[in-house]
Amino acid sequence: MVGEARPRTLAEKVWNAHVVRSADGEPDLLYIDLHLVHEVTSPQAFDGLRLSGRTVRRPELTIATEDHNTPTDNLLTISDPVSRTQIETLRRNCDEFGVRRHSLGDSQQGVVHVMGPQLGLTQPGMTIVCGDSHTSTHGAFGALAFGIGTSEVEHVLATQTLPQPPLKTMAVNVVGDLAPGVTAKDLVLALITQVGTGGGRGHVVEYRGPAIERMSMEGRMTVSNMSIEWGAKAGMIAPDETTFAYVEGREYAPKGEAWDRAKAYWTSLRTDEGAKFDTEVTLDITHLTPFVTWGTNPGQGAPLGASVPDPADFAEDADRVAAQKALEYMALTPGTPLRDVAVDVVFLGSCTNGRLEDLRAAADVLRGRKVAESVRMLVVPGSASVRAAAEEEGLNEVFTAAGAEWRFAGCSMCLGMNPDTLKPGERSASTSNRNFEGRQGRGGRTHLVSPQVAAATAVVGRLAAPADLN
Amino acid sequence: MEKFTVHTGTAVPLRRSNVDTDQIIPAVYLKRVTRTGFEDGLFNAWRSDPAFVLNNPAYAGASVLVAGPDFGTGSSREHAVWALQNYGFKAVVAPRFGDIFRGNALKAGLLPIELDLKVVEELWAAIEADPQLSVTVDLQDRQLRAAGREWAFPIDDFSRWRLLEGLDDIGLTLRHEESITAFEQGRPEWTPVVH
């Protein structure tokens, strides 16, 4: 990976700029610019530091928030004592080791992958890690960002570095443009169905093409966020004027001359002409329409206009068996039009689709309409600051007038850990990222959708797109 | 970390693909702040089904799990590795692993063994024919041996050495603290510092 003359990919450039040490037969030791911490995957790491008498090497490159295991109906009371202990443990650990935290009630508290970008902590060319697989979100800024386990959290706390096996690179070349009403979420769901949940394994992916370049930062974050759902280590997008405009002026963004120098460097973070990727994939979105999942992994998806597939139609044994098991779990019959599938709950939120733009898109659909009586709709802003911004625009009034619940920020129903869960047998349309068995609560059934489809589904009571409302 | 050289035990066949980490341990079990006691959450939803393979007394005490492709996809929760270890597993065999799960397993000392689906299918059949079949996982020789046959599995030299020696990753990295400090001198001035 060394050698000045060879054209290089974006991922290689960021990687090379962070190699602390490289030796034959050993993983490269990478410096980590930003370490995001939350309550669920950090307690055992802080314990490990204490046991070995170590400290946090760079507390000022570390920041914590509370999101996974928090209630969204209030900011004060965590009724489950085990959950409360976990939150209190994070607070104690941060205070003991000198790590800044944004706790419940703080204006910057929220889903860890919403917090980083909104503070301007997420910048192009950085290395960013977090004990959470959706750290890939930050790749939307041209950062190399990936999820790690708790042993690695401890490693980063202690050393501000991580040993990493050599990377393989992949290009996803997106061909065509998104039709009106079709979103970044539809794009990435279609991609995962095309390549499968293991399609990106071992690769740092770069999303490329005019549709990506025209996409907002929020849309890019949705795409990068779901990189892990097809097995990619990280998902990057080259920084451009859209990126710079998003970062500029935020709390931690460089200011004055530092901004100019940063921007000049960031502008160089593009894959060179002639650079070779280890793998290339083409995604044609010319005829893409709203896309939803029918199964129990994010690669089991279909256009909303299609029907529940027949497992017998899958060529591979493993896919056939997986489809069969998925349909049993989801209680779906092959041949049923997806538009006939009735849902009990609609969840709008998460690190995938819980940003202001997502709330606006859903509010546009719901304005002047009512959530169907058979449906409970939760709207959970990605962060306290998204919540405040939405209230400033009156979006909360649109949601509550429609009959949806306007909640406080957190991971909420994305993961079935905090009080927001599906009951056994309940079916949801969810803007989150995983439709695994029981992900949103034991026995719950999840259909992954875009914010627009979520809102239209809430109105109709069955899976629907905004166009169905006219 | 405990050293891993050679392990011999019985195995359990898990005939499923895409076993994500939410299946291995649901999020509701992640509220604890310890590294132990997660065995009750392991495959919790499936274990309520009496027909689930781990409920079959013939496989009691098995220490090698043999699963289908894309084992350990999804969430980065290392609790999935701990739950498998707390339950008594020393190694997991699958045709393909989620990257983060594989990394977590190597860090925590649960050996992830990648073998072709064809081999996994042969193993499933052999274990089902004889649940007491002895399976040997030999990290020294990078081999899995069972039923008089042997299969080589891939593992990079560095990970193998760490596991064989039972080395602590942080300790290894801190041997290079001078390089880390030197690197820190050259970081761009605009990189954010939390205040």
Side-chain angles (χ1 to χ4, degrees):
Chain A
M1 225 171 295
V2 198
E4 288 305 310
R6 190 169 70 76
R8 285 184 290 182
T9 63
L10 164 62
E12 289 174 291
K13 289 181 184 183
V14 179
W15 180 288
N16 290 351
H18 290 83
V19 175
V20 169
R21 181 178 176 275
S22 192
D24 274 350
E26 289 183 39
D28 281 356
L29 189 63
L30 291 193
Y31 199 80
I32 302 302
D33 291 321
L34 179 66
H35 186 189
L36 302 159
V37 172
H38 64 86
E39 72 274 20
V40 180
T41 55
S42 67
Q44 297 87 351
F46 283 111
D47 261 354
L49 291 184
R50 264 189 297 268
L51 279 172
S52 46
R54 292 175 175 137
T55 57
V56 176
R57 180 181 177 89
R58 298 295 301 271
E60 76 280 19
L61 305 185
T62 314
I63 190 165
T65 192
E66 300 158 8
D67 56 0
H68 284 66
N69 197 4
T70 53
T72 63
D73 60 346
N74 81 93
L75 293 173
L76 297 172
T77 312
I78 303 172
S79 43
D80 175 359
V82 187
S83 298
R84 194 164 59 236
T85 299
Q86 191 169 58
I87 299 291
E88 285 167 354
T89 303
L90 177 78
R91 292 176 185 174
R92 220 172 30 246
N93 284 332
C94 287
D95 297 350
E96 178 184 338
F97 288 95
V99 172
R100 179 89 164 93
R101 63 178 164 86
H102 292 293
S103 289
L104 279 182
D106 182 295
S107 65
Q108 296 298 338
Q109 176 268 339
V111 181
V112 66
H113 309 307
V114 178
M115 179 188 70
Q118 86 189 10
L119 282 169
L121 281 169
T122 301
Q123 295 173 17
M126 290 173 68
T127 47
I128 301 176
V129 297
C130 174
D132 187 280
S133 60
H134 292 111
T135 309
S136 57
T137 310
H138 309 267
F141 292 79
L144 179 63
F146 51 93
I148 58 179
T150 298
S151 294
E152 291 172 313
V153 170
E154 184 181 340
H155 194 286
V156 177
L157 289 173
T159 70
Q160 204 58 37
T161 65
L162 261 189
Q164 285 292 302
L167 89 167
K168 283 190 288 184
T169 57
M170 183 190 293
V172 173
N173 300 308
V174 179
V175 176
D177 222 334
L178 288 173
V182 187
T183 68
K185 184 65 165 286
D186 301 307
L187 182 157
V188 72
L189 286 173
L191 172 67
I192 301 167
T193 291
Q194 178 182 315
V195 298
T197 55
R201 205 190 68 147
H203 289 82
V204 174
V205 170
E206 184 183 335
Y207 300 97
R208 298 152 62 84
I212 300 291
E213 287 162 24
R214 275 195 278 273
M215 210 175 260
S216 68
M217 282 317 295
E218 286 82 354
R220 293 179 190 183
M221 282 190 259
T222 299
V223 172
S224 292
N225 170 276
M226 291 198 64
S227 301
I228 184 65
E229 307 310 335
W230 55 290
K233 181 171 183 73
M236 304 176 78
I237 294 170
D240 59 10
E241 288 303 325
T242 304
T243 321
F244 307 147
Y246 183 97
V247 174
E248 190 168 16
R250 290 182 187 267
E251 183 174 346
Y252 287 102
K255 308 282 187 306
E257 287 178 17
W259 170 262
D260 298 333
R261 283 192 294 274
K263 196 172 151 185
Y265 170 63
W266 295 342
T267 305
S268 74
L269 295 176
R270 307 190 71 79
T271 292
D272 295 330
E273 189 95 17
K276 271 197 74 72
F277 292 91
D278 294 303
T279 312
E280 297 215 29
V281 166
T282 299
L283 175 73
D284 186 348
I285 58 166
T286 312
H287 304 292
L288 184 66
T289 53
F291 210 87
V292 302
T293 63
W294 49 265
T296 55
N297 72 56
Q300 292 176 321
L304 175 64
S307 297
V308 175
D310 188 338
D313 294 341
F314 287 89
E316 302 284 329
D317 276 357
D319 291 342
R320 188 160 50 242
V321 173
Q324 184 73 45
K325 285 192 159 129
L327 293 189
E328 277 168 29
Y329 182 84
M330 295 294 287
L332 291 173
T333 313
T336 308
L338 287 165
R339 280 194 166 90
D340 287 354
V341 175
V343 307
D344 307 294
V345 175
V346 170
F347 170 58
L348 173 62
S350 85
C351 58
T352 312
N353 281 126
R355 286 169 287 267
L356 188 59
E357 182 181 286
D358 301 310
L359 302 192
R360 281 181 186 150
D364 283 346
V365 176
L366 284 174
R367 198 168 278 114
R369 295 195 167 100
K370 289 278 184 198
V371 173
E373 281 200 11
S374 55
V375 173
R376 176 189 182 203
M377 181 175 187
L378 277 84
V379 182
V380 186
S383 69
S385 128
V386 168
R387 188 174 196 272
E391 289 186 348
E392 190 126 316
E393 295 181 14
L395 302 185
N396 57 318
E397 284 159 24
V398 176
F399 291 122
T400 50
E405 297 172 32
W406 178 243
R407 315 279 290 201
F408 292 98
C411 297
S412 184
M413 202 180 265
C414 176
L415 86 164
M417 176 166 198
N418 53 69
D420 303 340
T421 54
L422 292 179
K423 297 189 191 75
E426 275 190 333
R427 184 183 300 279
S428 78
S430 176
T431 65
S432 55
N433 39 58
R434 289 186 175 136
N435 52 343
F436 298 153
E437 287 183 24
R439 168 79 177 180
Q440 296 189 289
R442 189 162 171 174
R445 299 167 177 141
T446 304
H447 297 271
L448 300 177
V449 300
S450 71
Q452 287 86 334
V453 167
T457 298
V459 172
V460 176
R462 298 183 305 279
L463 294 175
D468 301 331
L469 301 177
N470 300 325
Chain B
M1 190 169 63
E2 230 177 282
K3 292 183 182 184
F4 194 121
T5 48
V6 180
H7 171 76
T8 299
T10 58
V12 57
L14 181 61
R15 285 184 177 265
R16 291 198 67 132
S17 60
N18 277 293
V19 178
D20 58 78
T21 51
D22 275 80
Q23 302 317 312
I24 301 174
I25 187 159
V28 74
Y29 287 92
L30 312 187
K31 299 179 179 182
R32 298 178 189 139
V33 296
T34 60
R35 268 180 190 257
T36 53
F38 290 99
E39 63 275 13
D40 57 345
L42 181 69
F43 299 123
N44 184 266
W46 295 343
R47 266 159 79 188
S48 63
D49 172 6
F52 182 56
V53 68
L54 281 194
N55 292 328
N56 184 342
Y59 299 113
S63 55
V64 179
L65 182 68
V66 184
D70 293 318
F71 186 88
T73 52
S75 157
S76 66
R77 58 190 69 169
E78 195 163 317
H79 312 64
V81 172
W82 304 334
L84 287 160
Q85 290 181 308
N86 294 165
Y87 189 85
F89 288 111
K90 303 287 184 202
V92 182
V93 180
R96 195 160 65 177
F97 291 93
D99 275 333
I100 304 179
F101 175 87
R102 188 171 183 278
N104 288 343
L106 289 169
K107 299 270 188 255
L110 174 75
L111 190 64
I113 298 176
E114 258 186 33
L115 291 172
D116 285 348
L117 180 59
K118 237 181 83 210
V119 177
V120 165
E121 283 170 344
E122 286 177 44
L123 281 170
W124 281 339
I127 300 161
E128 282 163 354
D130 174 13
Q132 289 309 304
L133 182 75
S134 172
V135 175
T136 295
V137 172
D138 187 336
L139 180 60
Q140 190 74 49
D141 289 346
R142 297 178 161 102
Q143 266 187 2
L144 184 140
R145 294 189 288 271
R149 303 183 55 187
E150 55 190 50
W151 295 274
F153 61 80
I155 182 167
D156 67 278
D157 291 342
F158 187 77
S159 299
R160 174 174 165 274
W161 169 69
R162 274 183 48 249
L163 286 166
L164 287 174
E165 301 292 330
L167 294 172
D168 161 26
D169 250 8
I170 297 177
L172 288 178
T173 294
L174 288 176
R175 292 182 192 174
H176 308 299
E177 197 174 356
E178 279 180 22
S179 308
I180 301 174
T181 305
F183 182 91
E184 284 174 330
Q185 309 307 320
R187 294 179 71 233
E189 96 273 21
W190 63 77
T191 50
V193 171
V194 177
H195 46 71

